[in-house]
Amino acid sequence: MGGIRRLPAVIALMLLILAAGSGRGLAEDEDAPLRISAGPYRGTVIDEKTGQPLPSVAVVILWQRLDDQIEGLRRLSAARETFTNESGEFVHDVAAIERRLPPRTFAPRILIYRPGYASLPSTPQLFPPGVPASRFAGPGAEVRLAPLTDYEDRAEALNTFVGMLNAAQLFPSPDLPETGELIRFEVRALGAPPPTPVAPGGGR
């Protein structure tokens, strides 16, 4: 029962840290302005242990932009979700989206999650959240997710994913209805009450 009580507490602590964040980077790899679309972004997600493809994996792509008035603050420009097919493959065709994005938007980033597995990234990368989508711009991109059986490991993976969504102002989000349902499924599976999101502090 201690683990069940621990899950919402850990999420709450992470969200408080995010709410206090200044917007400065913990990891700024390839965090460049968006100049030209490099998509579509595609890849294959497999089980690290068995080598088998993983279906029904959430793949979230997001764009953030610099706020027009507050230096260093980021706002969400857009986000989309897709899920891997039976072969573990996903595609984000984003050219139409990127043509409509506002100025000062950064190149997109990606988050990947499936209940019972470590997320990508597997440790919280918050400012900016996720990994550069550019790693999925060419053919043959592959992601290996480590399976998790320990309760606390699964809770930590969920916390990591939710924390990054919150950092991107995507928790909760009408743009990601199926991803939201996936989170609720895992919360129920872990026997914990749903986490309470922190208000993102402004509109898009």
Side-chain angles (χ1 to χ4, degrees):
M1 293 295 293
I4 292 175
R5 289 192 295 270
R6 177 177 176 274
L7 176 64
V10 172
I11 289 177
L13 176 61
M14 177 174 285
L15 297 183
L16 285 173
I17 292 170
L18 294 175
S22 65
R24 295 174 58 188
L26 296 182
E28 299 277 343
D29 57 319
E30 299 183 41
D31 189 34
L34 176 66
R35 292 189 173 88
I36 186 170
S37 179
Y41 301 101
R42 63 184 76 234
T44 303
V45 184
I46 65 175
D47 184 303
E48 183 180 74
K49 185 175 182 180
T50 67
Q52 295 299 306
L54 286 175
S56 304
V57 178
V59 183
V60 175
I61 187 168
L62 62 96
W63 295 261
Q64 290 183 307
R65 71 183 189 277
L66 286 174
D67 187 85
D68 293 330
Q69 297 179 336
I70 304 175
E71 183 179 356
L73 181 66
R74 294 175 183 236
R75 300 289 188 187
L76 181 69
S77 291
R80 294 292 181 273
E81 65 181 1
T82 192
F83 286 77
T84 56
N85 61 20
E86 291 300 316
S87 299
E89 300 168 342
F90 71 88
V91 178
H92 269 298
D93 191 352
V94 299
I97 297 171
E98 293 192 330
R99 284 196 294 269
R100 300 192 303 269
L101 291 175
R104 296 162 58 89
T105 294
F106 289 97
R109 302 184 73 87
I110 280 180
L111 306 172
I112 296 178
Y113 176 71
R114 187 179 194 269
Y117 287 84
S119 62
L120 180 77
S122 59
T123 56
Q125 187 161 310
L126 307 178
F127 305 110
V131 300
S134 57
R135 68 182 279 187
F136 302 101
E142 185 178 272
V143 174
R144 293 175 172 266
L145 297 186
L148 305 173
T149 56
D150 181 79
Y151 176 95
E152 291 200 357
D153 289 343
R154 286 185 63 162
E156 183 177 353
L158 176 62
N159 291 337
T160 296
F161 182 62
V162 169
M164 290 186 290
L165 290 179
N166 191 75
Q169 304 169 357
L170 277 168
F171 181 67
S173 171
D175 294 324
L176 311 177
E178 294 182 61
T179 300
E181 184 56 38
L182 195 71
I183 291 170
R184 288 188 288 272
F185 169 85
E186 181 68 343
V187 168
R188 288 192 297 267
L190 291 169
T196 302
V198 172
R204 296 187 183 179

